[in-house]
Amino acid sequence: MSKRFANFHVYFLASVAYCGIILFGYDTGVAGGIVTQKAFADNFGLTGTPQAHKDAVSSNVVSVLQGGAFFGSIFSAPVSSRIGRRFTLMAFSLVFCVGAILTTVAGSGQKGLNEIYIGRVISGLGIGGISAVAPAYVSECSPKNVRGRITGLFQIFVATGVMLSYWVDYGVQKHQKPGPKIWRIPFGIQLVPGGMMTFGLLFTRESPRWLATRGRTEEAIVNLAFLRRTSLSDPEVIAEFAEIEAAVEEEREARKGLGPKEAFLAPGNRIRFLIAFVIFLLQQFSGQNSVGYYAPLIFQSIGYSSVSSSLLASGVYGVIKVVATAIFILLFVDSAGRRWSLFISSWGMGTLFYIIGAILKTHPPIVGSNHPTSASKAMAGLLYIYVCFYSMGWGPIPWIYVSDIFPNRTRHYGLALASATQWLFSFVVSKITPTMKTHLGWKLFITFATINIAGGATFSYLLPETKGRSLEEMDIIFGAVKRDVREVDVRKAQKEIEAGHLGAVRKRSSASDSNEKGGSEASV
């Protein structure tokens, strides 16, 4: 039983930290369904305006969140470095809640629209910071044998958030009369996971690896033992912490006398920052976010012309995405590996988009018809298969891979760059998708198909594999340190821990236990 639940504390920590990732998915998906509804257009004075103006407002409501998230990602790095992962997540979750409240209580007309814009920007700041820090926090606390699975829960929570946004939009459209509730209810619901995250973080512990980089060695090994649900004298805890200490000391020595520029661009580090940038650039232009942000619009473009049918098709798309992601993360991510999952995912997505583009070219939807044709149903089915391929590679793996590869002292900067890249190009995609859909038609799918196969497949084939390797081993994989040097440093650190540091920790822990026991007996 103890072995079965050995990682219970890590799973709890991940579930709390990733409540904010539900917001990531929910907030990026919910606006696309809201802006397609007539009640939204009536409330904000868009009825009767030119289509170009409606497209601009739609893209603004969706994309200003990404703009705020870009800056939130960047600001998260120095904050996380200084105050730690846990308190940084608390701060950004509170920022998000402020923005969510503002969007929920926004009025009507242009003034209300401006309030939604401001609220979405503030919410974006919170989501951007959470998206950069949460994967680093979870990855640093996870054991290497299941790190991919636990870190990969990120994408399950994202997909769950997107799915919830689709079904909330659909449910509100079906059961609420036209009016402000059409958009206030979807925007207000996002406060639930935001509040859950803020409250849950009160019961988690700080990352042992961050504590080690700050010189708080005793607290770090106590937290590590707590997360592994074992004793301080457990040989596996001592060995893992020795590897952490060795890596921290090596990096500290390597950075002596170096400025930030030289440290981040040094051999072994610059390739990791380059990978973080490119992997999220390709992810954003895989086409999934165009479908995810504007699922009702995309389904309308292939023949699901009524609002109700497009929202329903979007909801089914969201369910399939969650199920496919969960199956891959829970059963296959730590056996299939990172590199080949990305490679197969690229070919699958690209091939299906080529087929969809070809069908849309040869069998365009019938203008004015409220019933999807057989070709439209076929394209919807292919989109459902497409998201399965996305969910087994380019959806979860970039976050897992980037959380894997960075050294302890620069992981927060690496995740900040990765998250900022994701949000920057997410902003670009969300701004250009309505225009691309209007002007390119079937060529939109051909464009994304080419990017997937020519870019994604080639890039993933060149990546080194990281499954089953500890975070500290990444320095060896990327050439920052030689294996024999690391082995010597680990043995040295292990001896120091067993001889000195661990003894001090045991003494302090025993005193703490005695005090707690005495207090309990006194209260009895």
Side-chain angles (χ1 to χ4, degrees), residues 208-263:
R209 286 177 167 85
W210 179 81
L211 291 169
T213 64
R214 308 299 290 184
R216 294 159 64 175
T217 305
E218 294 185 3
E219 188 178 351
I221 196 170
V222 168
N223 282 9
L224 183 63
F226 172 80
L227 290 169
R228 301 297 177 262
R229 298 193 72 201
T230 187
S231 66
L232 294 169
S233 58
D234 189 306
E236 291 186 4
V237 169
I238 296 174
E240 183 176 357
F241 194 73
E243 193 173 16
I244 294 171
E245 281 283 278
V248 168
E249 186 59 32
E250 286 168 1
E251 192 171 356
R252 186 180 289 118
E253 289 294 322
R255 291 179 61 179
K256 278 185 178 179
L258 296 178
K261 181 179 178 181
E262 292 81 4

Tab-separated table of all heavy atoms in Angstrom, residues 208-263:
chain	number	residue	atom	x	y	z
A	208	PRO	N	11.820	21.211	-3.500
A	208	PRO	CA	13.136	20.941	-2.908
A	208	PRO	C	14.279	21.474	-3.763
A	208	PRO	O	15.310	21.924	-3.227
A	208	PRO	CB	13.181	19.412	-2.827
A	208	PRO	CG	11.757	18.966	-2.896
A	208	PRO	CD	11.049	19.975	-3.741
A	209	ARG	N	14.127	21.423	-5.082
A	209	ARG	CA	15.207	21.884	-5.953
A	209	ARG	C	15.379	23.399	-5.871
A	209	ARG	O	16.495	23.901	-5.911
A	209	ARG	CB	14.951	21.416	-7.390
A	209	ARG	CG	15.211	19.923	-7.575
A	209	ARG	CD	14.883	19.437	-8.973
A	209	ARG	NE	15.411	18.094	-9.218
A	209	ARG	CZ	14.795	16.969	-8.891
A	209	ARG	NH1	13.609	17.021	-8.290
A	209	ARG	NH2	15.349	15.795	-9.147
A	210	TRP	N	14.264	24.142	-5.773
A	210	TRP	CA	14.403	25.595	-5.608
A	210	TRP	C	15.061	25.909	-4.267
A	210	TRP	O	15.927	26.773	-4.186
A	210	TRP	CB	13.029	26.277	-5.680
A	210	TRP	CG	13.130	27.765	-5.486
A	210	TRP	CD1	13.474	28.695	-6.425
A	210	TRP	CD2	12.944	28.478	-4.258
A	210	TRP	NE1	13.500	29.953	-5.860
A	210	TRP	CE2	13.174	29.848	-4.525
A	210	TRP	CE3	12.592	28.099	-2.963
A	210	TRP	CZ2	13.067	30.835	-3.556
A	210	TRP	CZ3	12.489	29.079	-1.982
A	210	TRP	CH2	12.723	30.427	-2.277
A	211	LEU	N	14.651	25.207	-3.208
A	211	LEU	CA	15.258	25.425	-1.893
A	211	LEU	C	16.756	25.143	-1.926
A	211	LEU	O	17.553	25.871	-1.311
A	211	LEU	CB	14.573	24.526	-0.859
A	211	LEU	CG	13.118	24.871	-0.517
A	211	LEU	CD1	12.483	23.749	0.294
A	211	LEU	CD2	13.035	26.198	0.238
A	212	ALA	N	17.154	24.100	-2.658
A	212	ALA	CA	18.578	23.761	-2.750
A	212	ALA	C	19.363	24.878	-3.439
A	212	ALA	O	20.490	25.198	-3.031
A	212	ALA	CB	18.761	22.452	-3.509
A	213	THR	N	18.790	25.489	-4.469
A	213	THR	CA	19.502	26.576	-5.161
A	213	THR	C	19.625	27.815	-4.283
A	213	THR	O	20.514	28.635	-4.505
A	213	THR	CB	18.783	26.973	-6.464
A	213	THR	OG1	17.479	27.496	-6.159
A	213	THR	CG2	18.661	25.795	-7.407
A	214	ARG	N	18.757	27.946	-3.266
A	214	ARG	CA	18.817	29.096	-2.350
A	214	ARG	C	19.641	28.794	-1.110
A	214	ARG	O	19.700	29.610	-0.183
A	214	ARG	CB	17.408	29.503	-1.923
A	214	ARG	CG	16.439	29.730	-3.065
A	214	ARG	CD	16.874	30.832	-4.006
A	214	ARG	NE	16.778	32.140	-3.396
A	214	ARG	CZ	17.025	33.285	-4.020
A	214	ARG	NH1	17.417	33.266	-5.283
A	214	ARG	NH2	16.918	34.427	-3.395
A	215	GLY	N	20.266	27.604	-1.060
A	215	GLY	CA	21.102	27.246	0.074
A	215	GLY	C	20.335	26.749	1.281
A	215	GLY	O	20.910	26.562	2.355
A	216	ARG	N	19.039	26.504	1.144
A	216	ARG	CA	18.206	26.027	2.264
A	216	ARG	C	18.183	24.498	2.239
A	216	ARG	O	17.164	23.856	2.010
A	216	ARG	CB	16.816	26.639	2.157
A	216	ARG	CG	16.844	28.139	2.352
A	216	ARG	CD	15.635	28.863	1.779
A	216	ARG	NE	14.385	28.493	2.426
A	216	ARG	CZ	13.216	29.079	2.143
A	216	ARG	NH1	13.165	30.052	1.227
A	216	ARG	NH2	12.113	28.679	2.751
A	217	THR	N	19.348	23.909	2.509
A	217	THR	CA	19.567	22.489	2.304
A	217	THR	C	18.703	21.619	3.209
A	217	THR	O	18.092	20.636	2.760
A	217	THR	CB	21.048	22.156	2.538
A	217	THR	OG1	21.848	22.985	1.705
A	217	THR	CG2	21.332	20.701	2.229
A	218	GLU	N	18.658	21.953	4.497
A	218	GLU	CA	17.915	21.107	5.428
A	218	GLU	C	16.427	21.095	5.088
A	218	GLU	O	15.777	20.046	5.083
A	218	GLU	CB	18.139	21.598	6.862
A	218	GLU	CG	19.576	21.424	7.330
A	218	GLU	CD	19.754	21.815	8.791
A	218	GLU	OE1	18.739	22.161	9.431
A	218	GLU	OE2	20.885	21.759	9.278
A	219	GLU	N	15.870	22.273	4.810
A	219	GLU	CA	14.453	22.350	4.446
A	219	GLU	C	14.192	21.593	3.134
A	219	GLU	O	13.146	20.960	2.966
A	219	GLU	CB	14.041	23.818	4.294
A	219	GLU	CG	12.556	24.020	4.097
A	219	GLU	CD	12.192	25.495	3.992
A	219	GLU	OE1	13.068	26.355	4.241
A	219	GLU	OE2	11.029	25.789	3.638
A	220	ALA	N	15.160	21.648	2.221
A	220	ALA	CA	15.001	20.983	0.931
A	220	ALA	C	14.901	19.470	1.093
A	220	ALA	O	14.030	18.821	0.501
A	220	ALA	CB	16.171	21.331	0.012
A	221	ILE	N	15.778	18.871	1.888
A	221	ILE	CA	15.754	17.414	2.022
A	221	ILE	C	14.546	16.952	2.833
A	221	ILE	O	13.994	15.873	2.595
A	221	ILE	CB	17.078	16.892	2.638
A	221	ILE	CG1	17.193	15.384	2.393
A	221	ILE	CG2	17.189	17.217	4.097
A	221	ILE	CD1	18.558	14.822	2.741
A	222	VAL	N	14.081	17.774	3.777
A	222	VAL	CA	12.850	17.456	4.508
A	222	VAL	C	11.665	17.421	3.544
A	222	VAL	O	10.835	16.504	3.578
A	222	VAL	CB	12.608	18.477	5.641
A	222	VAL	CG1	11.194	18.331	6.194
A	222	VAL	CG2	13.621	18.276	6.757
A	223	ASN	N	11.582	18.434	2.685
A	223	ASN	CA	10.480	18.473	1.715
A	223	ASN	C	10.565	17.329	0.714
A	223	ASN	O	9.542	16.772	0.295
A	223	ASN	CB	10.480	19.813	0.964
A	223	ASN	CG	9.895	20.932	1.795
A	223	ASN	OD1	9.638	20.778	2.987
A	223	ASN	ND2	9.681	22.084	1.184
A	224	LEU	N	11.797	16.965	0.320
A	224	LEU	CA	11.965	15.861	-0.610
A	224	LEU	C	11.473	14.552	0.010
A	224	LEU	O	10.762	13.768	-0.631
A	224	LEU	CB	13.429	15.730	-1.030
A	224	LEU	CG	13.736	14.656	-2.071
A	224	LEU	CD1	13.036	14.957	-3.393
A	224	LEU	CD2	15.251	14.531	-2.292
A	225	ALA	N	11.840	14.313	1.260
A	225	ALA	CA	11.387	13.105	1.949
A	225	ALA	C	9.866	13.108	2.104
A	225	ALA	O	9.210	12.068	1.962
A	225	ALA	CB	12.055	12.991	3.315
A	226	PHE	N	9.286	14.275	2.379
A	226	PHE	CA	7.831	14.378	2.501
A	226	PHE	C	7.158	14.034	1.174
A	226	PHE	O	6.171	13.283	1.143
A	226	PHE	CB	7.457	15.798	2.925
A	226	PHE	CG	5.974	16.075	2.899
A	226	PHE	CD1	5.152	15.668	3.938
A	226	PHE	CD2	5.401	16.742	1.817
A	226	PHE	CE1	3.785	15.915	3.904
A	226	PHE	CE2	4.034	16.996	1.769
A	226	PHE	CZ	3.224	16.577	2.821
A	227	LEU	N	7.672	14.570	0.081
A	227	LEU	CA	7.077	14.319	-1.234
A	227	LEU	C	7.203	12.855	-1.643
A	227	LEU	O	6.349	12.324	-2.368
A	227	LEU	CB	7.729	15.214	-2.290
A	227	LEU	CG	7.397	16.711	-2.191
A	227	LEU	CD1	8.299	17.519	-3.112
A	227	LEU	CD2	5.935	16.966	-2.524
A	228	ARG	N	8.272	12.187	-1.206
A	228	ARG	CA	8.456	10.766	-1.528
A	228	ARG	C	7.786	9.859	-0.499
A	228	ARG	O	7.850	8.636	-0.620
A	228	ARG	CB	9.957	10.432	-1.610
A	228	ARG	CG	10.727	11.229	-2.657
A	228	ARG	CD	10.244	10.944	-4.077
A	228	ARG	NE	10.950	11.761	-5.048
A	228	ARG	CZ	10.479	12.898	-5.552
A	228	ARG	NH1	9.282	13.332	-5.179
A	228	ARG	NH2	11.167	13.596	-6.415
A	229	ARG	N	7.200	10.465	0.540
A	229	ARG	CA	6.496	9.739	1.599
A	229	ARG	C	7.392	8.668	2.231
A	229	ARG	O	7.016	7.507	2.363
A	229	ARG	CB	5.208	9.105	1.065
A	229	ARG	CG	4.203	10.110	0.551
A	229	ARG	CD	2.844	9.472	0.321
A	229	ARG	NE	2.200	9.165	1.594
A	229	ARG	CZ	1.222	8.264	1.736
A	229	ARG	NH1	0.822	7.562	0.699
A	229	ARG	NH2	0.677	8.058	2.913
A	230	THR	N	8.588	9.101	2.616
A	230	THR	CA	9.530	8.183	3.237
A	230	THR	C	10.347	8.946	4.268
A	230	THR	O	10.110	10.143	4.505
A	230	THR	CB	10.438	7.542	2.169
A	230	THR	OG1	11.247	6.530	2.777
A	230	THR	CG2	11.327	8.559	1.493
A	231	SER	N	11.324	8.273	4.873
A	231	SER	CA	12.112	8.882	5.941
A	231	SER	C	13.312	9.626	5.377
A	231	SER	O	13.724	9.411	4.232
A	231	SER	CB	12.586	7.810	6.923
A	231	SER	OG	13.507	6.939	6.271
A	232	LEU	N	13.895	10.470	6.213
A	232	LEU	CA	15.082	11.228	5.815
A	232	LEU	C	16.284	10.321	5.582
A	232	LEU	O	17.209	10.683	4.862
A	232	LEU	CB	15.422	12.264	6.888
A	232	LEU	CG	14.390	13.382	7.083
A	232	LEU	CD1	14.712	14.162	8.333
A	232	LEU	CD2	14.359	14.287	5.869
A	233	SER	N	16.283	9.142	6.201
A	233	SER	CA	17.424	8.232	6.065
A	233	SER	C	17.277	7.257	4.900
A	233	SER	O	18.154	6.422	4.688
A	233	SER	CB	17.604	7.436	7.362
A	233	SER	OG	16.430	6.711	7.664
A	234	ASP	N	16.186	7.363	4.155
A	234	ASP	CA	15.971	6.473	3.016
A	234	ASP	C	17.111	6.652	2.009
A	234	ASP	O	17.395	7.775	1.570
A	234	ASP	CB	14.632	6.808	2.353
A	234	ASP	CG	14.242	5.773	1.302
A	234	ASP	OD1	15.054	5.524	0.397
A	234	ASP	OD2	13.117	5.244	1.373
A	235	PRO	N	17.783	5.559	1.601
A	235	PRO	CA	18.903	5.669	0.662
A	235	PRO	C	18.512	6.337	-0.664
A	235	PRO	O	19.335	7.049	-1.263
A	235	PRO	CB	19.325	4.211	0.439
A	235	PRO	CG	18.848	3.483	1.648
A	235	PRO	CD	17.594	4.171	2.070
A	236	GLU	N	17.286	6.120	-1.118
A	236	GLU	CA	16.866	6.732	-2.378
A	236	GLU	C	16.728	8.244	-2.247
A	236	GLU	O	17.061	8.991	-3.173
A	236	GLU	CB	15.537	6.116	-2.840
A	236	GLU	CG	15.669	4.660	-3.273
A	236	GLU	CD	14.375	4.117	-3.850
A	236	GLU	OE1	13.403	4.892	-3.987
A	236	GLU	OE2	14.329	2.915	-4.164
A	237	VAL	N	16.266	8.702	-1.097
A	237	VAL	CA	16.173	10.144	-0.852
A	237	VAL	C	17.563	10.751	-0.788
A	237	VAL	O	17.830	11.808	-1.372
A	237	VAL	CB	15.390	10.428	0.450
A	237	VAL	CG1	15.521	11.900	0.846
A	237	VAL	CG2	13.931	10.064	0.274
A	238	ILE	N	18.478	10.069	-0.088
A	238	ILE	CA	19.851	10.569	0.014
A	238	ILE	C	20.500	10.623	-1.358
A	238	ILE	O	21.152	11.609	-1.725
A	238	ILE	CB	20.674	9.680	0.969
A	238	ILE	CG1	20.106	9.761	2.388
A	238	ILE	CG2	22.142	10.103	0.947
A	238	ILE	CD1	20.766	8.802	3.362
A	239	ALA	N	20.307	9.577	-2.163
A	239	ALA	CA	20.915	9.539	-3.500
A	239	ALA	C	20.332	10.624	-4.403
A	239	ALA	O	21.068	11.304	-5.143
A	239	ALA	CB	20.695	8.163	-4.123
A	240	GLU	N	19.016	10.818	-4.353
A	240	GLU	CA	18.385	11.844	-5.196
A	240	GLU	C	18.842	13.239	-4.786
A	240	GLU	O	19.161	14.081	-5.637
A	240	GLU	CB	16.863	11.745	-5.105
A	240	GLU	CG	16.147	12.734	-6.027
A	240	GLU	CD	14.637	12.570	-6.010
A	240	GLU	OE1	14.127	11.653	-5.329
A	240	GLU	OE2	13.955	13.373	-6.699
A	241	PHE	N	18.907	13.468	-3.464
A	241	PHE	CA	19.313	14.805	-3.028
A	241	PHE	C	20.798	15.047	-3.282
A	241	PHE	O	21.203	16.185	-3.558
A	241	PHE	CB	18.993	15.008	-1.546
A	241	PHE	CG	19.086	16.448	-1.136
A	241	PHE	CD1	18.116	17.355	-1.530
A	241	PHE	CD2	20.158	16.907	-0.388
A	241	PHE	CE1	18.202	18.686	-1.178
A	241	PHE	CE2	20.253	18.237	-0.027
A	241	PHE	CZ	19.271	19.137	-0.418
A	242	ALA	N	21.601	13.999	-3.218
A	242	ALA	CA	23.019	14.148	-3.546
A	242	ALA	C	23.189	14.591	-5.000
A	242	ALA	O	24.036	15.436	-5.318
A	242	ALA	CB	23.754	12.832	-3.309
A	243	GLU	N	22.385	14.017	-5.893
A	243	GLU	CA	22.445	14.411	-7.300
A	243	GLU	C	22.008	15.865	-7.474
A	243	GLU	O	22.602	16.618	-8.251
A	243	GLU	CB	21.549	13.488	-8.131
A	243	GLU	CG	21.770	13.616	-9.633
A	243	GLU	CD	20.996	12.578	-10.424
A	243	GLU	OE1	20.060	11.965	-9.866
A	243	GLU	OE2	21.311	12.390	-11.600
A	244	ILE	N	20.985	16.273	-6.731
A	244	ILE	CA	20.528	17.666	-6.788
A	244	ILE	C	21.629	18.603	-6.309
A	244	ILE	O	21.952	19.612	-6.954
A	244	ILE	CB	19.263	17.847	-5.931
A	244	ILE	CG1	18.091	17.070	-6.533
A	244	ILE	CG2	18.904	19.326	-5.794
A	244	ILE	CD1	16.852	17.020	-5.650
A	245	GLU	N	22.230	18.275	-5.163
A	245	GLU	CA	23.285	19.115	-4.595
A	245	GLU	C	24.492	19.208	-5.534
A	245	GLU	O	25.071	20.284	-5.712
A	245	GLU	CB	23.727	18.556	-3.237
A	245	GLU	CG	22.791	18.906	-2.101
A	245	GLU	CD	22.985	20.351	-1.664
A	245	GLU	OE1	23.915	20.628	-0.886
A	245	GLU	OE2	22.211	21.202	-2.123
A	246	ALA	N	24.855	18.082	-6.130
A	246	ALA	CA	25.995	18.081	-7.054
A	246	ALA	C	25.724	18.983	-8.244
A	246	ALA	O	26.582	19.769	-8.661
A	246	ALA	CB	26.295	16.657	-7.524
A	247	ALA	N	24.529	18.906	-8.806
A	247	ALA	CA	24.185	19.725	-9.971
A	247	ALA	C	24.146	21.203	-9.611
A	247	ALA	O	24.619	22.055	-10.375
A	247	ALA	CB	22.833	19.287	-10.534
A	248	VAL	N	23.595	21.522	-8.445
A	248	VAL	CA	23.523	22.920	-8.008
A	248	VAL	C	24.919	23.489	-7.807
A	248	VAL	O	25.230	24.609	-8.229
A	248	VAL	CB	22.691	23.033	-6.706
A	248	VAL	CG1	22.844	24.416	-6.088
A	248	VAL	CG2	21.226	22.736	-6.989
A	249	GLU	N	25.789	22.707	-7.175
A	249	GLU	CA	27.152	23.180	-6.921
A	249	GLU	C	27.938	23.340	-8.214
A	249	GLU	O	28.691	24.304	-8.386
A	249	GLU	CB	27.867	22.214	-5.973
A	249	GLU	CG	29.244	22.687	-5.515
A	249	GLU	CD	29.187	24.014	-4.786
A	249	GLU	OE1	28.179	24.298	-4.117
A	249	GLU	OE2	30.160	24.796	-4.919
A	250	GLU	N	27.777	22.396	-9.138
A	250	GLU	CA	28.456	22.508	-10.435
A	250	GLU	C	28.039	23.777	-11.171
A	250	GLU	O	28.875	24.500	-11.714
A	250	GLU	CB	28.130	21.285	-11.299
A	250	GLU	CG	28.831	20.008	-10.886
A	250	GLU	CD	28.236	18.791	-11.589
A	250	GLU	OE1	27.306	18.959	-12.390
A	250	GLU	OE2	28.720	17.677	-11.316
A	251	GLU	N	26.755	24.043	-11.168
A	251	GLU	CA	26.284	25.227	-11.886
A	251	GLU	C	26.733	26.503	-11.184
A	251	GLU	O	27.067	27.489	-11.827
A	251	GLU	CB	24.757	25.193	-11.994
A	251	GLU	CG	24.224	26.223	-12.978
A	251	GLU	CD	22.755	26.040	-13.256
A	251	GLU	OE1	22.157	25.082	-12.745
A	251	GLU	OE2	22.204	26.860	-13.993
A	252	ARG	N	26.755	26.463	-9.862
A	252	ARG	CA	27.213	27.636	-9.119
A	252	ARG	C	28.681	27.932	-9.436
A	252	ARG	O	29.066	29.083	-9.633
A	252	ARG	CB	27.028	27.384	-7.619
A	252	ARG	CG	27.328	28.596	-6.750
A	252	ARG	CD	27.130	28.275	-5.278
A	252	ARG	NE	25.715	28.116	-4.950
A	252	ARG	CZ	25.176	26.998	-4.497
A	252	ARG	NH1	25.942	25.912	-4.329
A	252	ARG	NH2	23.901	26.931	-4.216
A	253	GLU	N	29.489	26.884	-9.509
A	253	GLU	CA	30.897	27.061	-9.849
A	253	GLU	C	31.062	27.543	-11.297
A	253	GLU	O	31.884	28.397	-11.596
A	253	GLU	CB	31.657	25.746	-9.650
A	253	GLU	CG	31.841	25.339	-8.203
A	253	GLU	CD	32.746	26.311	-7.447
A	253	GLU	OE1	33.727	26.784	-8.053
A	253	GLU	OE2	32.453	26.602	-6.278
A	254	ALA	N	30.285	26.975	-12.192
A	254	ALA	CA	30.394	27.338	-13.609
A	254	ALA	C	30.007	28.786	-13.857
A	254	ALA	O	30.509	29.413	-14.798
A	254	ALA	CB	29.515	26.419	-14.453
A	255	ARG	N	29.138	29.347	-13.013
A	255	ARG	CA	28.647	30.701	-13.243
A	255	ARG	C	29.438	31.757	-12.486
A	255	ARG	O	29.126	32.942	-12.581
A	255	ARG	CB	27.168	30.781	-12.856
A	255	ARG	CG	26.268	30.000	-13.787
A	255	ARG	CD	24.819	30.074	-13.368
A	255	ARG	NE	24.329	31.444	-13.372
A	255	ARG	CZ	23.070	31.792	-13.068
A	255	ARG	NH1	22.212	30.851	-12.743
A	255	ARG	NH2	22.696	33.037	-13.080
A	256	LYS	N	30.444	31.354	-11.739
A	256	LYS	CA	31.253	32.336	-11.018
A	256	LYS	C	31.930	33.282	-11.999
A	256	LYS	O	32.600	32.848	-12.941
A	256	LYS	CB	32.310	31.640	-10.163
A	256	LYS	CG	31.783	31.133	-8.826
A	256	LYS	CD	32.900	30.561	-7.974
A	256	LYS	CE	32.372	30.104	-6.625
A	256	LYS	NZ	33.447	29.523	-5.791
A	257	GLY	N	31.752	34.572	-11.794
A	257	GLY	CA	32.401	35.553	-12.653
A	257	GLY	C	31.706	35.787	-13.968
A	257	GLY	O	32.167	36.571	-14.788
A	258	LEU	N	30.585	35.129	-14.199
A	258	LEU	CA	29.862	35.288	-15.450
A	258	LEU	C	28.653	36.186	-15.251
A	258	LEU	O	27.987	36.138	-14.229
A	258	LEU	CB	29.382	33.931	-15.981
A	258	LEU	CG	30.450	32.913	-16.385
A	258	LEU	CD1	29.771	31.625	-16.825
A	258	LEU	CD2	31.310	33.446	-17.509
A	259	GLY	N	28.368	37.013	-16.250
A	259	GLY	CA	27.145	37.785	-16.249
A	259	GLY	C	25.987	36.925	-16.697
A	259	GLY	O	26.169	35.812	-17.169
A	260	PRO	N	24.758	37.442	-16.562
A	260	PRO	CA	23.582	36.656	-16.970
A	260	PRO	C	23.628	36.225	-18.432
A	260	PRO	O	23.253	35.107	-18.761
A	260	PRO	CB	22.418	37.634	-16.716
A	260	PRO	CG	22.940	38.595	-15.695
A	260	PRO	CD	24.397	38.730	-15.969
A	261	LYS	N	24.126	37.106	-19.304
A	261	LYS	CA	24.155	36.775	-20.728
A	261	LYS	C	25.041	35.564	-20.979
A	261	LYS	O	24.661	34.616	-21.679
A	261	LYS	CB	24.649	37.967	-21.539
A	261	LYS	CG	24.696	37.706	-23.040
A	261	LYS	CD	25.171	38.943	-23.792
A	261	LYS	CE	25.251	38.656	-25.293
A	261	LYS	NZ	25.731	39.835	-26.047
A	262	GLU	N	26.248	35.581	-20.398
A	262	GLU	CA	27.171	34.465	-20.618
A	262	GLU	C	26.644	33.173	-19.996
A	262	GLU	O	26.815	32.089	-20.553
A	262	GLU	CB	28.549	34.795	-20.025
A	262	GLU	CG	29.308	35.908	-20.752
A	262	GLU	CD	28.848	37.303	-20.346
A	262	GLU	OE1	28.002	37.398	-19.442
A	262	GLU	OE2	29.313	38.282	-20.948
A	263	ALA	N	25.998	33.292	-18.837
A	263	ALA	CA	25.492	32.093	-18.157
A	263	ALA	C	24.384	31.424	-18.959
A	263	ALA	O	24.363	30.213	-19.123
A	263	ALA	CB	24.980	32.461	-16.763
